[in-house]
Amino acid sequence: MNGAILENYVVSELAKTYLNCGIEPFMYYYRDKDAKEIDVILEHDGVLNPIEIKKTANPGSELTGVFSVLDKGSSVKRGKGAVICMKPNLSAIDRDNYIIPVWGI
């Protein structure tokens, strides 16, 4: 599975989960002039949850560093972040960012 297909799959599964609960998903893609990007920003209950989608089975903390751009100039609070990837088990990068296996979404 290539990265673009994985990304499309994850975004569609996230949207379906919300829609099946009768909730409209508020999902955004972020990219700034410095080429910093976040694959999905999921807004829920007034909180922004950044999500990176990667094909790797061994994600590192460098994938969540860009999440801090959400702290600048936003009146909306940043919540927990996640990397959705090919790792087989649920785990954490640090206390604010989770590693979620693709099968877990």
Side-chain angles (χ1 to χ4, degrees):
M1 180 180 295
N2 75 30
I5 293 172
L6 178 63
E7 247 181 76
N8 287 333
Y9 171 77
V10 169
V11 170
S12 68
E13 289 299 306
L14 290 171
K16 283 194 296 187
T17 298
Y18 274 83
L19 293 170
N20 286 338
C21 293
I23 302 168
E24 182 179 349
F26 295 104
M27 297 189 296
Y28 312 96
Y29 169 78
Y30 175 87
R31 183 179 172 104
D32 66 15
K33 62 180 175 45
D34 298 321
K36 292 179 183 170
E37 67 178 357
I38 299 173
D39 295 331
V40 177
I41 300 172
L42 186 57
E43 183 178 353
H44 185 73
D45 293 333
V47 177
L48 300 176
N49 299 102
I51 300 169
E52 279 296 310
I53 303 164
K54 298 297 177 200
K55 200 171 143 183
T56 184
N58 190 27
S61 60
E62 73 280 355
L63 297 176
T64 60
V66 72
F67 293 172
S68 65
V69 301
L70 298 178
D71 299 332
K72 298 175 179 131
S74 176
S75 60
V76 181
K77 179 181 157 192
R78 175 168 59 116
K80 301 292 184 183
V83 177
I84 298 175
C85 62
M86 304 303 283
K87 188 166 185 162
N89 303 322
L90 181 67
S91 59
I93 290 177
D94 54 40
R95 65 185 180 99
D96 293 320
N97 298 291
Y98 302 108
I99 297 171
I100 301 173
V102 169
W103 61 262
I105 58 171

